[in-house]
Amino acid sequence: MAPTYLPISSTTNYIVVTYNNASLIGDLYTNGIPYATVDFPNTTYSPGSYGGAGGTTENTFGNDVYGDPQFGGNIYEAR
């Protein structure tokens, strides 16, 4: 499957990612409109399990250890 990139724009875009560990469904929204949904096969994909019991070493926004282009925008809020 080819990667899908978010659109480059000179205007502010609101990006929201949700993950439901009970249903194993992740959703991506752009500007309040559903953009993509993925069904995960099991809870090993849960954000809380990344890095195992010792946690992770790459806990930074915009730092991609997979060689993807670096994030080139502003983050106004994270929860």
Side-chain angles (χ1 to χ4, degrees), residues 10-46:
S10 61
T11 61
T12 299
N13 289 288
Y14 298 93
I15 309 299
V16 174
V17 175
T18 64
Y19 173 74
N20 184 320
N21 200 54
S23 65
L24 300 175
I25 294 175
D27 294 303
L28 175 67
Y29 297 86
T30 58
N31 299 316
I33 299 170
Y35 187 82
T37 297
V38 64
D39 294 317
F40 293 97
N42 54 54
T43 57
T44 60
Y45 292 87
S46 169

Side-chain angles (χ1 to χ4, degrees), residues 3 8 16 21-22 30 36 40-41 54 57-58 62 68 72 76 78:
I8 295 174
V16 174
N21 200 54
T30 58
F40 293 97
T57 60
E58 305 294 338
D68 296 328
Y76 294 108

Side-chain angles (χ1 to χ4, degrees), residues 56-75:
T56 65
T57 60
E58 305 294 338
N59 293 331
T60 57
F61 287 114
N63 181 24
D64 190 321
V65 297
Y66 300 104
D68 296 328
Q70 293 294 304
F71 178 71
N74 297 314
I75 298 174

